């Protein structure tokens, strides 16, 4: 399971565009994001590209994360939406 908890303080740092916080979150979630992308796309190269695109999009849209659901659910929805495109 990828039920990784991201503390509210970490989310607040992300919303302030703290690059160190972003790197920490990337290190926590890069494997589950890649795994999901690979399952959806069935192509390693495309999955890696999607991994990068998903984190860029998440960083750009972090202000939209309200914390009503787990961070992983929000990030997973970004991955799925990008894969469908």
């Amino acid at each position: 399971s990828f039920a990784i908890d991201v503390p509210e303080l970490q989310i607040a740092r992300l919303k302030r565009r703290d690059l160190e916080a972003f790197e920490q979150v990337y290190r926590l979630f890069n494997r589950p994001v890649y795994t999901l992308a690979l399952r959806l796309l069935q192509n390693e190269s495309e999955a890696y590209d999607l991994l990068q695109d998903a984190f860029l999009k998440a960083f750009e849209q972090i202000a939209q994360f309200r914390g009503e659901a787990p961070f992983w659910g929000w990030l997973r929805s970004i991955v799925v939406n990008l894969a469908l495109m």
Side-chain angles (χ1 to χ4, degrees), residues 27-81:
R27 289 179 189 271
L28 283 173
F29 288 100
N30 70 348
R31 184 174 176 131
V33 167
Y34 176 78
T35 301
L36 176 59
L38 186 58
R39 273 191 268 141
L40 294 169
L41 301 174
Q42 300 293 305
N43 180 293
E44 290 180 8
S45 177
E46 289 179 10
Y48 182 75
D49 288 345
L50 188 102
L51 164 73
Q52 302 305 316
D53 292 344
F55 275 101
L56 286 174
K57 189 168 189 107
F59 191 60
E60 291 170 355
Q61 296 183 352
I62 190 63
Q64 296 176 12
F65 178 70
R66 295 180 302 233
E68 295 170 351
F71 182 81
W72 169 238
W74 180 76
L75 183 57
R76 184 176 52 223
S77 70
I78 291 173
V79 173
V80 170
N81 287 335

Side-chain angles (χ1 to χ4, degrees), residues 7-20:
E8 288 182 34
L9 181 60
Q10 186 83 354
I11 299 297
R13 290 177 59 207
L14 289 172
K15 289 183 177 185
R16 290 193 308 267
R17 305 284 187 194
D18 182 325
L19 293 178
E20 184 180 326

